[in-house]
């Protein structure tokens, strides 16, 4: 549940911040009459995300066990790829998100109403589709359709409240730091989803090694215990992973976490180094 709360919070906060920036910029520049197209784009993005989630849920219910496992495993890996890209993208652009969006909005204002709808739709729709996909894979991995949805809903509600507080100026936090640490937690969650996706593909007979266990601590951490359920809900922890699951988990989390937490190289650093060396800076 916590992992899904984190997904809902982070993705929802990204979308909320985007909407707040767009609305605040239009109000500040005297373009309040252009707000309806922005809200229309947001509404279309939300509707598309809900429809995508429903399609995944009801479409997969008619599949055979093997086909459902193959679909679940493939979409789990896809969702991990999307979330990984998302946390690195936000890590890189968090400090410049406002100016980037305002530039796109200026261009959309020059084009017309349709461009405003498209701009807000694209800005919010990506987060919505990623959220739907990741939550669906979480529901499949836990076998519990209630708690993952409740966690994601609570995260989304929290993000809307935070977005409103940001807009009203009642809350100020370092967004770069916030996205850095929530991103690190998401990398851990994604590693568990990836391992579960591999297990699905093994059950679908698309990957070998289904019965080659790396270890089995089910007696120590029973899956139906409160702490086993907690570990499963937060990290997709499995007390009896296959050897391939463990290998994939390690190969993902070690390099991804290292790269994500590594200090970012300032864009001005190469210029300063050239100037210190007595060379003309490029550009």
């Amino acid at each position: 549940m916590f992992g899904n709360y984190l997904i809902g919070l982070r993705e929802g906060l990204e979308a909320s911040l985007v909407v707040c920036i767009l609305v605040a910029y239009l109000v500040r520049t005297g373009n309040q009459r252009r707000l309806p197209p922005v809200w229309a784009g947001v509404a279309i993005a939300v509707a598309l995300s809900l429809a995508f989630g429903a399609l995944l849920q009801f479409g997969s219910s008619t599949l055979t066990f093997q086909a459902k496992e193959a679909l679940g495993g493939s979409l789990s890996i896809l969702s991990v790829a999307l979330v990984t890209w998302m946390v690195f993208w936000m890590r890189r652009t968090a400090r410049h998100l406002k100016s980037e969006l305002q530039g796109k909005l200026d261009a959309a204002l020059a084009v017309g109403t349709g461009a405003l709808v498209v701009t807000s739709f694209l800005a919010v729709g990506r987060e919505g589709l990623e959220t739907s996909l990741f939550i669906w894979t979480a529901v499949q991995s836990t076998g519990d359709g209630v708690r993952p949805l409740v966690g994601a809903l609570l995260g989304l509600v929290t993000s809307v409240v935070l977005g409103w507080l940001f807009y009203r100026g009642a809350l100020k936090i370092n967004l770069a730091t916030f996205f850095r640490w929530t991103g690190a937690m998401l990398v851990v969650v994604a590693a568990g989803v990836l391992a579960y996706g591999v297990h699905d593909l093994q059950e679908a007979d698309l990957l070998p090694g289904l019965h080659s266990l790396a270890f089995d601590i089910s007696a120590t951490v029973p899956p139906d215990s409160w702490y086993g359920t907690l570990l499963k809900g937060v990290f997709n922890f499995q007390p009896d992973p296959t050897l391939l699951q463990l290998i994939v988990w390690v190969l993902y989390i070690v390099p991804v976490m290292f790269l994500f937490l590594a200090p970012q190289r300032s864009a001005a650093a190469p210029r300063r180094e050239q100037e210190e060396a007595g060379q003309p800076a490029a550009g």
Side-chain angles (χ1 to χ4, degrees):
M1 182 172 176
F2 174 75
N4 294 283
Y5 174 82
L6 190 62
I7 285 290
L9 173 62
R10 185 185 171 97
E11 295 279 7
L13 187 56
E14 285 186 38
S16 296
L17 289 174
V18 166
V19 174
C20 288
I21 291 171
L22 295 178
V23 171
Y25 187 65
L26 288 176
V27 171
R28 191 172 68 249
T29 56
N31 287 288
Q32 291 93 328
R33 61 187 178 83
R34 298 294 192 97
L35 286 175
V38 171
W39 290 117
V42 172
I44 294 171
V46 172
L48 179 62
S49 301
L50 292 175
F52 180 59
L55 177 63
L56 288 175
Q57 180 61 33
F58 296 112
S60 63
S61 63
T62 61
L63 299 176
T64 64
F65 172 79
Q66 191 172 18
K68 189 172 183 178
E69 294 301 296
L71 176 64
S74 301
L75 291 181
S76 293
I77 293 172
L78 175 61
S79 68
V80 169
L82 289 174
V83 168
T84 304
W85 174 84
M86 178 265 294
V87 296
F88 276 97
W89 177 82
M90 183 52 73
R91 174 178 179 263
R92 187 180 67 253
T93 61
R95 293 182 178 88
H96 314 292
L97 181 62
K98 184 176 181 179
S99 59
E100 181 178 320
L101 283 173
Q102 288 177 350
K104 291 180 179 179
L105 196 55
D106 282 334
L109 283 169
V111 173
T113 300
L116 285 173
V117 175
V118 172
T119 298
S120 59
F121 168 77
L122 293 177
V124 176
R126 178 177 59 83
E127 279 81 9
L129 293 176
E130 288 176 357
T131 303
S132 296
L133 179 56
F134 206 83
I135 291 174
W136 183 83
T137 57
V139 169
Q140 302 308 305
S141 66
T142 59
D144 183 353
V146 177
R147 280 178 294 184
L149 294 178
V150 171
L153 182 60
L154 289 175
L156 290 171
V157 170
T158 303
S159 70
V160 171
V161 173
L162 290 176
W164 182 80
L165 291 174
F166 282 132
Y167 179 75
R168 302 299 300 178
L171 182 64
K172 296 183 183 298
I173 64 173
N174 187 319
L175 291 178
T177 301
F178 173 83
F179 284 120
R180 177 180 177 85
W181 291 110
T182 55
M185 288 187 283
L186 276 181
V187 169
V188 177
V189 173
V193 173
L194 178 61
Y196 190 86
V198 169
H199 187 265
D200 275 353
L201 294 179
Q202 288 178 310
E203 289 193 323
D205 292 329
L206 296 178
L207 289 177
L210 178 60
H211 303 293
S212 301
L213 300 184
F215 55 81
D216 187 351
I217 55 173
S218 300
T220 306
V221 187
D224 55 351
S225 64
W226 69 267
Y227 47 92
T229 302
L230 179 64
L231 290 172
K232 177 74 170 178
V234 176
F235 303 113
N236 275 299
F237 173 80
Q238 185 177 336
D240 55 345
T242 66
L243 182 59
L244 183 58
Q245 279 183 278
L246 181 61
I247 291 172
V248 168
W249 187 89
V250 172
L251 289 178
Y252 171 84
I253 198 168
V254 172
V256 171
M257 188 67 79
F258 174 79
L259 291 173
F260 183 75
L261 294 179
Q264 284 186 276
R265 184 178 177 84
S266 172
R271 183 181 298 272
R272 287 198 302 268
E273 291 173 0
Q274 288 180 355
E275 291 174 351
E276 291 171 0
Q279 299 175 1

